[in-house]
Amino acid sequence: MSRQSPPPNPEQVGLQCAALHSRVFSRLVTRLFNNRLADSGLRITQFSVLNAIKARPPESIFQLAELLGMERTSLQRTVDKLIEKGLVDAEPTGNKRSLGLALTEAGEDCYQQALLGWQEAQQHFESLVGPDNWEEIARELRGFSRQVKQIL
């Protein structure tokens, strides 16, 4: 009979927990970006959705959710808000019930304004962690994300 190691104490959990540390870091980075995007009226999640639509116009919410690593229902709420603001159009693609998404003219204007705030936030962030460090960290995070996604 093998002996199990004792469970970690709460202090150890707090120091070791990958979910906790990644969420704390994520919240702080989100606040930094939201602060710089405030003048555009967008939050970083909305900006990221607009950017993804602009970069690779999706044929469905599911496709966009996969690209962004978001739950489809959360993404749908964000897209609905962008549609309500007149920043995104949803048009049938002809593929089953899928709706393709595209930026409206107002969405393009808002995106361009927000892009300036995003650049400022990104430059500030990179100055904190170092541009070369960030490049390596981003590459590692993408790899870790792929690995975790494979087991989900």
Side-chain angles (χ1 to χ4, degrees), residues 113-134:
Q113 180 186 1
L115 187 58
L116 298 173
W118 177 87
Q119 284 178 298
E120 189 180 309
Q122 184 68 22
Q123 288 169 351
H124 190 124
F125 176 78
E126 286 184 19
S127 74
L128 294 173
V129 299
D132 293 338
N133 286 342
W134 175 240

Side-chain angles (χ1 to χ4, degrees), residues 88-121:
V88 170
D89 267 338
E91 297 289 332
T93 63
N95 183 13
K96 299 182 183 175
R97 296 183 306 171
S98 293
L99 293 176
L101 301 171
L103 301 189
T104 63
E105 190 175 324
E108 181 64 38
D109 291 344
C110 185
Y111 173 82
Q112 291 302 324
Q113 180 186 1
L115 187 58
L116 298 173
W118 177 87
Q119 284 178 298
E120 189 180 309

